[in-house]
Amino acid sequence: MGFALKYRHYERYIKPENLVYIIFLVSFIVGMLLSFLFQKNDAQEALWLEQILQYVKYGEIQYGDMFFYVLKRRIITIAIIILLCISGKGKFFLLGGVGLAGGFAGFYITEFIVAKGILGSLLFAVSIFPHYICYAYGYMCLLHWMIKTTKKQKNINQGSQKKISFSNIDTQNLIKKLSPVAVVIMGILLECYVNPFILKLFLKIFM
């Protein structure tokens, strides 16, 4: 409740669209700082990372098993996000997700660079390409829809003191809400069938 009040206070001065980038940037820097703060010179962790890379580089990719594993992980997240957005409570959850994404990105980019140098940053970029383009696009579409819907609800409440019922959403809005799911499904397919090939090719050429 306190966070919501603070958010509404800052929303007067910062546009929600810009707030997304500010949250991501701040959390990215925090993630980098946490990486340096908890950094260990642990040879066992370095060996573990090297074993994973060698397996990806020379091992046989089990596409079917990977698809069901990734689908199981993503489908739960998708279901939670959709349910929260339908209930009208998803705005702060989505903004929190932006913060987590920025924090994890900052943390792991720093870890990869420390472990592998400049190639580490390229390895990180390759490991999330191209599926995270779909994930990020779908997430931003959903967040934009939530911000736009919240503004519309606020304007109607101020003008006529009526609340919007999410059960009365028209077909067009429902399609807009569910279209990010289609983008995420495309991302799942890319993560399972395209990214492993690209990552394996990168490791064989550069590492």
Side-chain angles (χ1 to χ4, degrees):
M1 188 70 179
F3 173 79
L5 291 174
K6 288 181 180 179
Y7 173 79
R8 292 190 183 94
H9 173 73
Y10 289 118
E11 194 177 21
R12 300 175 184 176
Y13 309 101
I14 304 174
K15 292 182 179 179
E17 293 82 0
N18 296 335
L19 187 62
V20 171
Y21 300 110
I22 293 172
I23 290 173
F24 184 87
L25 180 60
V26 171
S27 58
F28 183 89
I29 295 172
V30 170
M32 293 178 65
L33 293 175
L34 288 175
S35 176
F36 284 116
L37 185 63
F38 295 105
Q39 196 175 78
K40 299 178 181 178
N41 294 321
D42 194 340
Q44 188 175 359
E45 289 187 6
L47 179 62
W48 176 80
L49 177 61
E50 190 62 32
Q51 287 175 343
I52 294 294
L53 294 178
Q54 290 300 314
Y55 175 78
V56 174
K57 185 176 180 179
Y58 297 110
E60 183 179 351
I61 302 170
Q62 302 294 330
Y63 290 104
D65 294 341
M66 187 174 182
F67 173 75
F68 286 108
Y69 171 74
V70 173
L71 183 64
K72 188 190 300 183
R73 289 177 57 196
R74 305 299 183 201
I75 203 70
I76 295 173
T77 305
I78 293 171
I80 292 173
I81 290 174
I82 293 299
L83 287 173
L84 283 168
C85 290
I86 289 176
S87 69
K89 306 295 184 182
K91 183 177 179 181
F92 301 114
F93 177 85
L94 292 174
L95 288 173
V98 171
L100 284 175
F104 279 118
F107 184 88
Y108 283 110
I109 286 176
T110 305
E111 290 285 308
F112 272 73
I113 291 175
V114 170
K116 296 292 182 181
I118 297 299
L119 276 177
S121 61
L122 295 176
L123 176 61
F124 179 82
V126 171
S127 67
I128 63 173
F129 178 84
H131 50 289
Y132 265 87
I133 295 175
C134 292
Y135 295 153
Y137 179 76
Y139 198 91
M140 292 303 292
C141 284
L142 195 56
L143 182 58
H144 176 74
W145 183 88
M146 283 298 300
I147 291 173
K148 187 176 179 181
T149 302
T150 303
K151 283 182 178 179
K152 187 185 295 185
Q153 181 179 357
K154 185 178 179 181
N155 291 337
I156 290 180
N157 287 342
Q158 289 177 346
S160 59
Q161 300 299 319
K162 293 181 180 179
K163 293 185 178 180
I164 291 179
S165 173
F166 278 82
S167 61
N168 295 326
I169 299 174
D170 58 27
T171 305
Q172 185 178 1
N173 280 339
L174 185 61
I175 292 173
K176 286 181 180 179
K177 181 183 290 186
L178 295 179
S179 59
V181 178
V183 177
V184 170
I185 291 173
M186 185 183 299
I188 291 173
L189 295 174
L190 290 173
E191 182 174 1
C192 297
Y193 297 102
V194 178
N195 174 258
F197 174 77
I198 295 175
L199 185 57
K200 184 183 286 287
L201 188 64
F202 175 84
L203 291 174
K204 286 185 176 180
I205 293 174
F206 296 102
M207 304 182 75

